[in-house]
Amino acid sequence: MDATKILIVDDQKYARKMLRDILAPQHFMVEEAGNGREAIAKTRDFKPDLILMDLMMPDMNGIETSQLIKGDARTATIPILVVTASKEKDNLLAAFAAGVDDYITKPFAANELLARVQANIYKRDALVLVEQKKADAGIILDLSLSIASTLNAVEILQLIVGRIAGYVNVRRCSIIRFSDESHGHVLASNDDPTAKGLRIELPRYPELQEVIRTGEALVVRDAKNNPLLAEVRQYISGVDFDTILVIPIHHEQEIIGALLLRSAGRETSFSSHELAFCQSIADAAANAIKNASLFEKVLEESDELREMKEKLEQELREKTVYEGLFEHASEGLMVLNAAGQPQYVNRSAAEMFGYTRKQMLDMSLQEFLAEESLQVGMENHINFFLGREFSRKYDVLIRTASEEKRCVTVSVSTHRLEGSYVILSLMDVTLERRDQHLLAEANERLKALDLLKSEFIYTATNDLRLPVAVLHSNCLQLRESDTDNLTETQCEHLDAAVESCDRLMDLIEELLDSSHFDLKDYALTIEKQSIMEPVREVYTVLAPFASGNGLKMTVNPLQHDVAAAFDSDKIKCVLTNLIGNAIKFTPRGGEIGIWVDTDDLELKISVSDTGKGIPENYRTRIFNEFYHLKSAKGSAMKGSGLGLAVSKRIIDAHNGRIWVEHAPEKGTTFSFAIPLAH
């Protein structure tokens, strides 16, 4: 506690020394003035707690000096004790008229002087305390009147921090609400009203944690160098405050928050009176803080909460519009409670069920559901209210008022209305489901017909294989025998017959391969093996044909064999189709390249040629069955149109992919890729 300061005013030096000798041992802080003018100056600078004033002084006597001191608002409350040898009543009356508080006559005893000094200091402190209480009462009354004028908790807290900051004269006053042991939120701040809802991390505020731990008010002086804030010094190095006051806010013996004050440039720390005042305001604000329900709902994430607030406001603005839309919506709408009893039914729902709205409100969900859908509908309803997994959209059969069964799609809203209600959207899909059922039946019949078609193609082509083979063999024998007796025209016809038999044999084999897929009995014989074996076999068979057509064919394999899981015969069929097409459509003098590549997941084989390429408009249809490319003159190019379709089916069966890349007038590249692992 600071020492009591006393100013001795007397023109006689020995008198001042005598008074000092009496006061000094009592630990008073003593200052002296030799005349009235010096006393006035030192009163303003020294700010004494009491003045011992001599009445008789030259130039300016004690009465005049006291009058000037009491007339200055800055020094008016300082008690003045007159020390005089005069017993003239007029002098004493004049002194009291000038504002003197008390007097003592010379000679006096030391204990008498000390008693008078203490009595006047006590009287001064009591008057100051009364004035402070009067001022505090005025502030609290004013604050109460302001609070009574609003029911908004946010406005109440904002008023509190504003008044405290003005009264205590601090830079920032905030109210913090503690959410848990590590988080808090700003409920109000005098210097930034928009800070409300701001989330704070309590480990970044050691002063708040200390108040939570002790439950008592805390003053932190020299904040930037205080050991308590050592761990967060890097975060406060640039702040503009040096003193912190934290007042705990209690509610039912629980610390629910704190009043946080920060100041800069204060000559003294917070006084005991300021601490008591702030604590009384904090205690009074506890209920307002506890009842700030809006903040309780928005303390987790301020950004998310603002969005929720905006959404809520939007919903409230549109409430009237929605009510009209619900009533006149084309879909049926029902609101059910946990027992399955309707609380709201719109016009469309009533028409759908064939009841009046009043009748439906007296019924239950069990009465609406047909027996076939009773278990499904009730289980989903119960799961919704128990917080279990539930179907958000499903079909049920309902019973109408005329005992007709209708199929209805039920959509369950995930939004839970206040009071534990569920919103159901109902759409009559009886005709739609009936059409879907008929369509499914028609699709099954089409699949059966398609299977019958495939069986017919397989049987017919299988039956054609033998007679065509006989015809092909006889034509070959006839052409290889002595043809001297045939005319040139007859030889040309014979060559055309052989070529036609060749094409017919190829077509029969491709039709048989294609029909195998359609009959669903096409089995792959998958083995892990080297891809280079089928490549070499196909190359060996087709290389002479390429050479005979004036083409150069090369294989560009990997430096080592790559093992993959595939059906060797079927992959050879694909390679034969792709390389055969390249030979067929590449003019003489061209080149055909076979490329083998791999990565971590796939094996890739490409067959490129230097033909005229494939026009862009044929690219998406090239793998369709019986699809032929057109020549430049518009005629179909030779081929059955099944080779690429069969190849695509084989690659699809391997869980692979096949594609074509082309550059008109520069050539075409067909590629396929299959997984390295089956």
Side-chain angles (χ1 to χ4, degrees), residues 201-359:
E201 307 291 332
L202 292 182
R204 296 278 291 272
Y205 294 83
E207 65 272 30
L208 294 178
Q209 291 186 309
E210 180 67 12
V211 168
I212 294 173
R213 186 184 67 84
T214 63
E216 297 180 356
L218 172 69
V219 177
V220 179
R221 300 179 180 86
D222 191 14
K224 296 179 182 177
N225 299 307
N226 194 292
L228 178 64
L229 306 183
E231 294 184 1
V232 296
R233 187 157 295 135
Q234 57 178 319
Y235 304 115
I236 63 173
S237 59
V239 298
D240 56 352
F241 61 85
D242 50 33
T243 305
I244 302 173
L245 171 61
V246 185
I247 302 291
I249 299 174
H250 298 84
H251 185 270
E252 297 180 354
Q253 299 182 349
E254 175 192 1
I255 298 178
I256 63 172
L259 194 62
L260 180 62
L261 290 80
R262 294 174 173 176
S263 67
R266 288 175 65 100
E267 294 183 2
T268 60
S269 181
F270 293 97
S271 66
S272 59
H273 168 258
E274 290 174 327
L275 291 175
F277 175 78
C278 291
Q279 185 67 67
S280 64
I281 296 297
D283 294 339
N287 286 331
I289 294 172
K290 193 67 177 179
N291 294 330
S293 58
L294 291 178
F295 280 95
E296 290 292 331
K297 297 177 182 177
V298 296
L299 291 181
E300 284 303 320
E301 292 293 341
S302 58
D303 291 340
E304 179 182 350
L305 299 171
R306 289 190 183 96
E307 292 177 3
M308 291 176 61
K309 179 175 177 292
E310 292 173 0
K311 183 178 179 181
L312 178 60
E313 291 174 348
Q314 181 66 21
E315 289 178 355
L316 291 174
R317 285 194 296 268
E318 297 174 355
K319 179 176 180 294
T320 304
V321 178
Y322 283 155
E323 287 179 350
L325 292 175
F326 288 165
E327 180 60 26
H328 301 289
S330 59
E331 294 183 358
L333 294 173
M334 293 179 64
V335 177
L336 302 178
N337 62 14
Q341 299 166 330
Q343 305 299 301
Y344 170 79
V345 178
N346 75 341
R347 177 182 52 81
S348 297
E351 292 175 354
M352 187 183 302
F353 284 84
Y355 295 101
T356 65
R357 197 190 315 250
K358 185 177 184 304
Q359 288 174 324

Side-chain angles (χ1 to χ4, degrees), residues 12-262:
Q12 297 180 11
K13 187 174 182 180
Y14 76 90
R16 297 198 302 269
K17 182 178 184 306
M18 180 188 66
L19 291 173
R20 179 185 286 273
D21 291 342
I22 296 174
L23 298 172
Q26 304 302 318
H27 306 292
F28 291 116
M29 184 182 298
V30 179
E31 186 69 32
E32 299 177 12
N35 55 62
R37 300 190 187 281
E38 184 182 357
I40 293 172
K42 286 195 174 183
T43 299
R44 293 172 181 171
D45 297 335
F46 182 54
K47 294 184 175 61
D49 296 300
L50 181 136
I51 301 173
L52 292 175
M53 180 76 68
D54 184 24
L55 275 184
M56 301 303 174
M57 292 185 296
D59 189 20
M60 182 183 293
N61 61 32
I63 295 175
E64 294 173 327
T65 304
S66 298
Q67 194 171 14
L68 291 174
I69 291 174
K70 291 293 186 176
D72 190 336
R74 295 170 293 178
T75 58
T77 60
I78 300 174
I80 300 176
L81 177 59
V82 170
V83 181
T84 179
S86 174
K87 295 184 180 180
E88 294 184 10
K89 188 177 293 185
D90 291 341
N91 288 338
L92 293 176
L93 290 175
F96 281 114
V100 168
D101 297 271
D102 198 1
Y103 76 97
I104 185 169
T105 59
K106 300 177 184 178
F108 51 80
N111 58 351
E112 183 185 2
L113 175 67
L114 292 175
R116 291 289 184 91
V117 168
Q118 292 290 358
N120 279 277
I121 290 175
Y122 289 154
K123 183 175 69 173
R124 191 280 311 266
D125 290 343
L127 290 174
V128 170
L129 182 60
V130 169
E131 291 298 323
Q132 287 179 341
K133 288 184 177 181
K134 181 180 177 182
D136 292 350
I139 292 173
I140 293 174
L141 176 61
D142 184 39
L143 188 58
S144 300
L145 293 174
S146 300
I147 290 174
S149 66
T150 177
L151 296 177
N152 189 317
V154 176
E155 293 182 10
I156 291 172
L157 299 178
Q158 198 64 40
L159 276 170
I160 290 173
V161 295
R163 297 300 170 84
I164 292 176
Y167 179 73
V168 184
N169 190 23
V170 293
R171 180 159 298 177
R172 172 176 294 180
C173 178
S174 304
I175 294 178
I176 310 297
R177 173 74 163 91
F178 299 145
S179 303
D180 50 45
E181 294 181 354
S182 58
H183 298 95
H185 289 80
V186 177
L187 298 186
S189 183
N190 72 297
D191 63 337
D192 185 7
T194 63
K196 60 179 181 294
L198 180 66
R199 177 188 174 103
I200 64 173
E201 307 291 332
L202 292 182
R204 296 278 291 272
Y205 294 83
E207 65 272 30
L208 294 178
Q209 291 186 309
E210 180 67 12
V211 168
I212 294 173
R213 186 184 67 84
T214 63
E216 297 180 356
L218 172 69
V219 177
V220 179
R221 300 179 180 86
D222 191 14
K224 296 179 182 177
N225 299 307
N226 194 292
L228 178 64
L229 306 183
E231 294 184 1
V232 296
R233 187 157 295 135
Q234 57 178 319
Y235 304 115
I236 63 173
S237 59
V239 298
D240 56 352
F241 61 85
D242 50 33
T243 305
I244 302 173
L245 171 61
V246 185
I247 302 291
I249 299 174
H250 298 84
H251 185 270
E252 297 180 354
Q253 299 182 349
E254 175 192 1
I255 298 178
I256 63 172
L259 194 62
L260 180 62
L261 290 80
R262 294 174 173 176

